[in-house]
């Protein structure tokens, strides 16, 4: 495995979903000049940015039954999801080509009637190089999203290194992290909607454990915004607290914060880094190398039959 050297500009755009996917895409494209001026080599966008994260919506579910109104709420949510061969993906590819950068985008992707929380990976020429689905939707997310599969345990090559797009609480799966370390990840991309202070702690730990650069982009939704127009049922949130409070962050391979965490609104984080810091950091700890002890530990990852 070759670890790239030289400098790279890593960026996280903190932005929230609008009432519709079309409006979200329009808001993203409105930041094109800002993004071009930042000149990123890698741009990470939040979890479920296209398609939306309906925080607080209950879809009419109670244990043992579903309601007609909840089924219709799911239909409306399904309508905002994207198709891999759809116009939204084409527009994102055009943006990546215009910026000339690798881009990781959180999106809700339709597979028939099933939805998947996914990360899309665009290369600098604008092509969609691939995508992966969230392995384990968290808690009530399982009501609306399907699970990922063995093919989703993967990293993507890019001019700035091997990128692992790891979505929200997948970051807390120790064996998933170990499998990605074994695939030679050098930049960890973490699209999320987790705005808790604990998220920064986790991101700094993962960057330090994996001895990789880490870029996490979180959504930001203000106190009066609703999730894709659906009613919210949060009962433990003060009226002036954002629905999703951001916290996007960029971290070094030694766990040092390079930019962020960003609070209080939408915005762009950028850090210019020396990729050789990955090798410097792994001098005394390489999770998949000299510190792995394969004579004692072995991780078997189920692979689909070809």
């Amino acid at each position: 495995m070759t670890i790239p050297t030289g400098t790279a500009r890593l960026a996280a755009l903190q932005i929230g979903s609008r009432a519709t996917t079309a409006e979200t895409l329009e808001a993203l494209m409105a930041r094109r000049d800002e993004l071009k001026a930042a000149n990123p080599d890698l741009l990470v966008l939040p979890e479920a940015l296209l398609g939306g994260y309906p925080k607080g919506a209950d879809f009419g579910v109670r244990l043992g039954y579903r309601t007609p109104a909840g089924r219709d709420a799911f239909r409306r949510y399904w309508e905002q999801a994207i198709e891999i061969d759809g116009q939204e993906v084409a527009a994102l590819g055009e943006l990546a080509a215009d910026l000339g950068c690798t881009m990781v985008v959180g999106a809700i992707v339709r597979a028939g009637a099933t939805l998947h929380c996914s990360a899309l990976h665009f290369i600098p020429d604008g092509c969609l190089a691939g995508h992966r689905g969230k392995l384990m939707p968290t808690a009530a997310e399982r009501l609306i999203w399907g699970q990922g599969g063995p093919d989703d345990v993967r990293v993507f090559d890019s001019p700035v290194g091997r990128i692992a797009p790891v979505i929200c609480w997948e970051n807390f799966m120790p064996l998933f992290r170990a499998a990605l370390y074994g695939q030679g990840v050098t930049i960890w991309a973490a699209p999320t909607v987790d705005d808790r202070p604990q998220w920064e702690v986790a991101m700094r730990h993962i960057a330090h454990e994996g001895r990789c650069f880490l870029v996490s982009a979180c959504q930001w939704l203000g106190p009066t915004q609703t999730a894709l127009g659906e009613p919210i049922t949060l009962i433990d949130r003060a009226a002036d607290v954002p629905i999703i409070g951001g916290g996007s962050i960029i971290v070094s391979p030694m766990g040092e914060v390079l930019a962020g965490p960003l609070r209080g609104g939408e915005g762009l984080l950028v850090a210019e880094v020396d990729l050789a810091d990955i090798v410097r950091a792994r001098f005394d700890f390489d999770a998949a190398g000299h510190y792995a002890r394969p004579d004692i530990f072995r991780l078997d990852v189920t692979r689909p039959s070809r």
Side-chain angles (χ1 to χ4, degrees), residues 78-151:
W78 178 88
E79 288 174 345
Q80 297 306 317
I82 68 170
E83 304 277 358
I84 284 297
D85 58 354
Q87 61 183 3
E88 298 87 358
V89 171
L92 290 170
E94 187 274 330
L95 177 62
D98 192 24
L99 300 177
C101 76
T102 300
M103 203 162 72
V104 175
V105 185
I108 305 303
V109 176
R110 283 198 295 258
T114 298
L115 303 180
H116 290 275
C117 182
S118 302
L120 314 182
H121 182 93
F122 294 88
I123 56 178
D125 67 2
C127 290
L128 177 66
H131 67 285
R132 60 164 305 271
K134 192 173 187 177
L135 295 180
M136 195 66 216
T138 301
E141 292 173 357
R142 296 170 205 170
L143 298 171
I144 54 174
W145 298 341
Q147 295 181 344
D151 278 336

Side-chain angles (χ1 to χ4, degrees), residues 201-286:
V201 177
M203 296 299 95
R204 295 184 68 178
H205 167 76
I206 291 169
H208 195 223
E209 177 182 71
R211 294 301 208 261
C212 53
F213 286 101
L214 183 147
V215 184
S216 178
C218 186
Q219 286 206 40
W220 192 90
L221 289 177
T224 61
Q225 291 177 264
T226 59
L228 296 178
E230 296 296 335
I232 64 171
T233 55
L234 300 177
I235 59 175
D236 58 352
R237 181 182 62 88
D240 60 347
V241 173
I243 295 173
I244 304 176
S248 301
I249 194 169
I250 303 175
V251 187
S252 82
M254 293 300 290
E256 299 154 336
V257 176
L258 301 177
L262 179 59
R263 302 285 181 186
E266 297 184 341
L268 179 67
L269 295 179
V270 182
E272 185 160 341
V273 304
D274 181 357
L275 296 173
D277 282 346
I278 298 166
V279 176
R280 295 185 183 103
R282 294 182 184 182
F283 165 60
D284 53 0
F285 187 89
D286 186 352

